[in-house]
Amino acid sequence: MKDNLDAVTLSDMSVSDLLDVQIIEHQSFTTPWSFQAFLSELVDNDNACYVIAKIERRLVGYIGMWIILDEGHITNVAVDPGYRNRGIGRLLLESMAVTAYQRGVRKMTLEVRVSNKVAQTLYTSLGYRFCGVRPGYYRDNNEDALIMWKDLSKNENEDKPNLRY
């Protein structure tokens, strides 16, 4: 079932969002980031950009990115299990590409588990391409990560004012 994505609001992640972020983080990952890791990203990392998605007052997803020179590295993206397959992850990724482009980023990268075919399909549909492997990247089971890259273009990222938050 697709939700009306007009009901989704995007905003910068704040410290007050972290308890809800932690719930989704623990539901989504076998090696979740700690509260302290997110707090450090928000408070201490000038290269970090974190965005949340809400429907009404409920936090339903989030995404993070590091900006290093003209490259954006997606650090994490997750959607509440009860809200998956509704376009929220796509919306978060598209909005982060727009934000990145506005900040001078021209290439985006991320890692994804070799076994995570659903995420790979989403990333590929958004223009990410496989460019390498990080052997044993995931600590929980020593699984490899696929490295994916995407070139950002002006037409794709300046013509989407509805994705600016």
Side-chain angles (χ1 to χ4, degrees), residues 37-164:
F38 278 103
L39 181 62
S40 178
E41 287 290 286
L42 294 179
V43 175
D44 300 324
N45 187 347
D46 293 336
N47 296 320
C49 175
Y50 284 81
V51 172
I52 59 166
K54 285 187 174 183
I55 295 178
E56 296 178 5
R57 294 183 183 165
R58 182 182 176 99
L59 195 147
V60 296
Y62 60 89
I63 189 168
M65 174 178 63
W66 295 333
I67 298 174
I68 302 165
L69 301 175
D70 65 344
E71 295 178 357
H73 182 144
I74 299 295
T75 56
N76 44 26
V77 58
V79 174
D80 181 309
Y83 289 83
R84 290 183 185 158
N85 300 311
R86 299 179 186 195
I88 296 167
R90 175 179 293 278
L91 179 67
L92 286 164
L93 286 155
E94 288 176 337
S95 71
M96 194 57 80
V98 170
T99 297
Y101 191 86
Q102 291 171 340
R103 295 182 185 186
V105 170
R106 296 301 175 256
K107 291 183 179 279
M108 302 275 297
T109 187
L110 54 79
E111 292 91 10
V112 60
R113 286 180 184 268
V114 170
S115 64
N116 192 343
K117 303 299 185 192
V118 171
Q120 291 172 36
T121 299
L122 173 60
Y123 302 148
T124 301
S125 76
L126 290 169
Y128 285 86
R129 299 292 171 247
F130 300 106
C131 296
V133 175
R134 294 194 196 283
Y137 183 77
Y138 293 99
R139 296 177 308 196
D140 62 329
N141 64 358
N142 209 35
E143 184 175 359
D144 295 347
L146 298 175
I147 304 165
M148 299 184 78
W149 282 89
K150 172 184 176 145
D151 292 323
L152 299 181
S153 70
K154 179 178 181 179
N155 291 344
E156 178 183 19
N157 293 293
E158 286 192 346
D159 297 336
K160 294 183 178 177
N162 59 324
L163 292 179
R164 298 184 181 125

